[in-house]
Amino acid sequence: MFNYKALILTCLLMTVSVCSAEITVAVSTTQIYNLTYNIAGDDAKVLSILAPGQDPHTYQPVTKDIETVQNADVIIENGLHLEGKNWMKTLAEDAGKPLITATDGIIPLIMDKDGTKVNDPHAWFTPRNAAVYVNNIAKALVKHDPDNRASYISRAKLLLASLKSLDGWIRSEVSVIPPEKRVLVTNHDAFQYFATEYGFINTAPIGCSTGSEVGGGVTPQRREMVVNSIREMNVRSIFFETTINPKLIREIAKDAGISIGGSLYSDSMGDSGTPGETYIGMMRENVIKIVRGLK
Amino acid sequence: MRFILTAAVWAVILALVSFVFSIRGMESGPIDKEVKEKHAEVSFEITATFSVEDDPFALNIGDKKSAFELVLDGQTVFSAEKGINDRVSFTTESFELSTGKHELFVKANPSDTRISQAVRVQVLLSGNPISSETYWFNPGQAVNAAHVFEVTEKGSQNEH
Ligand SMILES: [Zn+2]
């Protein structure tokens, strides 16, 4: 006998599942994850390929990442070659899906990579650039899920207002550091956008990508240049980064006879429960450490 | 008899009331008309400590908000996306305003969040300044200034 009850129940379940269908967004980095999560709210599921602490320059995708991208409705990368060997682009191409680049519209700073001029990918380090990320992410969500347009727009506006006030806060905090002491020495050139925006001189022994550390290490010339800069500029402290081994920075600090100002969040945000688990928390924590170390 | 007396009293009261209202109407009618017809040519000179450019923290989806707006008595009378320069005064077109109180509301989003910002509003009656006020805002704060002024027969008075 035909089971009508089962048929009705199945139809009901299908209706419920269609009504509650949310889009899935796959993003490459933890910074993009946090910005997207704030815009998506409960209306979309956001998955990050990188976990807190993982390095986007050297990351090599695993099988689970292929599935994540294949099952996603929206795929977002940082771009500007942050994802070493364009791994997020490759994942999207293999899945036959379009890719959104969060840095679209940002005028990139140029950096020197072994004598070659390349675009600096660490664009999220100013709230102004983060606002471009927010615009690109919000546009992508609205396009793929127009039913929740109003919610995405109102969350994005709230996030942009927070970024604007973060920008004002950073300017007021760094103003206590005398201009001649605004020299930011870190492991690799992740802070060029931050330094340019807030009037710092930025120097780093590794260069623009941590990949070079894995490949051939730091050149003796570059290391010597950093030590000399520290001495000439009378720098008070230097900083290491949460995703990179602090050994090199410790050695440089010892050579130059200065202290270490602590660890800064650079290519990855912090674990849950740490101040660096959100974009705004990460920026605030970095600024607090920089100001304390240099003023 | 009592009914006729009550009706007569009511008739007298109604006649008196209508007489009083008709006299007041004759007195106030032409005066109201005269007040409504009194207008002044008012323009505004605005000086800001910031330049107006696209707000880097704006959401560029849907309706785009103006970076600088003047709202006179609830009506937007001037808006600009760009072209307003730091410390360079500009004067709006003239508006015909009746005598009485008016409000000019200045809305702006200075993109430079590094310093405190200010906007000065000067009310000009037939080209002559008659009231002026400078409004200051903290770094990163949106500019929202309500300048209330009064246009009298003699000129305008600042309410701040
Ligand atoms: Zn990096």
Side-chain angles (χ1 to χ4, degrees), chain A:
Chain A
M1 190 187 151
F2 190 74
N3 191 340
Y4 284 101
K5 278 183 185 171
L7 179 68
I8 291 166
L9 191 66
T10 310
C11 287
L12 274 172
L13 282 171
M14 280 174 74
T15 312
V16 169
S17 72
V18 166
C19 287
S20 63
E22 56 180 17
I23 60 164
T24 302
V25 187
V27 306
S28 58
T29 69
T30 48
Q31 297 85 11
I32 299 174
Y33 171 81
N34 186 253
L35 296 173
T36 309
Y37 178 79
N38 275 294
I39 302 166
D42 288 337
D43 294 318
K45 189 177 174 187
V46 187
L47 300 168
S48 176
I49 299 290
L50 293 180
Q54 284 185 310
D55 186 337
H57 298 294
T58 57
Y59 185 72
Q60 290 183 329
V62 294
T63 316
K64 189 171 150 275
D65 303 331
I66 298 169
E67 285 167 19
T68 302
V69 170
Q70 268 174 349
N71 296 327
D73 301 288
V74 181
I75 302 155
I76 308 173
E77 65 159 1
N78 182 85
L80 300 174
H81 303 291
L82 174 76
E83 294 88 352
K85 295 179 184 157
N86 293 326
W87 53 260
M88 193 64 169
K89 193 178 176 198
T90 309
L91 284 172
E93 278 172 0
D94 289 351
K97 300 206 169 176
L99 179 68
I100 310 294
T101 301
T103 50
D104 263 359
I106 289 172
I107 299 166
L109 295 176
I110 304 297
M111 62 198 330
D112 194 297
K113 188 180 181 185
D114 306 326
T116 313
K117 305 277 180 212
V118 294
N119 289 332
D120 183 346
H122 307 91
W124 64 88
F125 269 121
T126 69
R128 277 177 193 237
N129 283 351
V132 177
Y133 282 59
V134 169
N135 264 284
N136 287 329
I137 296 164
K139 266 181 212 160
L141 295 187
V142 165
K143 189 182 167 192
H144 284 83
D145 186 16
D147 290 350
N148 289 312
R149 177 192 163 94
S151 306
Y152 294 139
I153 285 180
S154 83
R155 289 192 203 103
K157 281 184 177 170
L158 192 66
L159 182 54
L160 289 166
S162 307
L163 292 176
K164 188 171 188 173
S165 99
L166 174 70
D167 184 48
W169 177 83
I170 296 174
R171 289 181 198 287
S172 119
E173 286 296 301
V174 301
S175 68
V176 303
I177 309 171
E180 69 276 9
K181 287 188 178 176
R182 290 192 201 172
V183 183
L184 190 57
V185 184
T186 54
N187 292 68
H188 84 300
D189 283 337
F191 293 90
Q192 203 188 184
Y193 288 92
F194 179 89
T196 307
E197 185 78 29
Y198 301 110
F200 287 80
I201 293 169
N202 182 210
T203 186
I206 290 178
C208 63
S209 168
T210 53
S212 59
E213 183 187 42
V214 173
V218 184
T219 62
Q221 294 88 343
R222 199 174 169 102
R223 184 178 157 157
E224 197 187 328
M225 184 197 84
V226 172
V227 173
N228 289 341
S229 302
I230 291 167
R231 285 187 183 135
E232 280 165 25
M233 291 171 169
N234 214 7
V235 177
R236 229 189 101 193
S237 345
I238 60 173
F239 303 85
F240 58 87
E241 298 166 32
T242 51
T243 47
I244 304 170
N245 189 335
K247 187 171 167 262
L248 175 69
I249 281 290
R250 286 211 174 99
E251 286 170 6
I252 288 175
K254 200 179 163 192
D255 288 355
I258 56 163
S259 66
I260 290 174
S263 65
L264 303 179
Y265 294 104
S266 61
D267 286 346
S268 177
M269 303 213 317
D271 278 316
S272 69
T274 65
E277 74 171 315
T278 66
Y279 174 82
I280 289 171
M282 167 195 77
M283 292 294 285
R284 288 177 71 96
E285 190 67 8
N286 279 358
V287 169
I288 288 168
K289 283 180 183 165
I290 290 168
V291 171
R292 199 174 52 201
L294 299 182
K295 75 175 177 189

Side-chain angles (χ1 to χ4, degrees), chain B residues 106-137:
Chain B
V106 185
K107 288 200 282 186
N109 261 311
S111 48
D112 188 345
T113 50
R114 291 170 294 181
I115 49 169
S116 295
Q117 302 288 6
V119 65
R120 189 182 71 158
V121 179
Q122 228 180 9
V123 182
L124 308 172
L125 183 68
S126 305
N128 298 310
I130 43 174
S131 89
S132 174
E133 184 78 35
T134 301
Y135 301 89
W136 283 93
F137 300 89

